[in-house]
Amino acid sequence: VLYKENVGKVTPTPITPEMERVKRNQEIISSVLYKENIGKATPTPVTPEMERVKRNQEIISSVLYKENVGKVTPTPITPEMERVKRNQEIISSVLYKENVGQATPTPVTPEMQRVKRNQEQISSVAYREGLGKATPSPVTPEMERVKRNQEQISSVLYKEHMAKGTPTPLTPEMERAKRNQENISSVLYSDSFRKQVQGKAAYVLDTPEMRRVRETQKHISTVKYHEDFEKSKGSFTPVVTDPITERVKKNMQDFSDISYRGIQRRVVEMERKRVDQDQENLTG
């Protein structure tokens, strides 16, 4: 109290970035000087005797702590205490969420999915490398018998803890009600599917990464198509030549020649002239 009376009034000064920098430098210098004054030490291995002494000290400390605790009166956990505990948990959760602040959600791109899968594979490989060597033991008939006995004992103990029930026969009315419930469930599921899913498309963000992957897939498809075309180019499928095929081929060639040269039109004109001449001869 006397010290505070003699201090007098002071003017508080704000903590500037320069003061923060000087404070950090002082801490670093103090840490360096402390390490320089420690000197050199000789490390000693941890022997089994030291491990035993350490465990004994921990046990003695635990016993002395329990002796100094004294006698206490246990209090039951009342509904009011449970309510207060839940309220405290809810308040803590709300305060935590208020202090989180706003964040910007980022879409999960194919690159992020690839990195995630790689990390899982690396973790799996590292976990397997950290495992030691084990000696596999064959499953003998004795082990199979013990396993079956354990399953039967567990089943018997489970049935012993169950209460007694009254079996009810499965009547036609129960069968009808069961079928009706299945039909109602199917109808409700179909209605929900039509309302929520059917006719609606899944929206996917068109990110630059997605566009890059799509362009890459197009290039890969084009390269694969040209590769298959180059391989098949120059090859042919042999076909057996029989008289029927030769006749059909010749007829098609004749039809093509007639259509190309206009022979069919001239044949029609000549046929019309011949008919007209015959008519004149008959009337003359």
Side-chain angles (χ1 to χ4, degrees), residues 240-256:
V240 178
T241 304
D242 54 353
I244 296 176
T245 306
E246 288 290 339
R247 183 176 60 81
V248 171
K249 184 178 179 182
K250 188 175 182 303
N251 291 337
M252 293 301 295
Q253 187 67 34
D254 294 340
F255 290 150
S256 298

Side-chain angles (χ1 to χ4, degrees), residues 38-46 50:
I38 287 177
K40 297 181 180 179
T42 304
T44 58
V46 180
M50 294 174 67

Side-chain angles (χ1 to χ4, degrees), residues 141-159:
E142 181 66 18
M143 294 172 68
E144 289 285 342
R145 184 183 64 80
V146 172
K147 183 178 179 182
R148 284 196 301 272
N149 290 341
Q150 288 293 331
E151 292 175 355
Q152 293 171 1
I153 292 170
S154 300
S155 176
V156 170
L157 293 175
Y158 172 75
K159 293 179 180 178

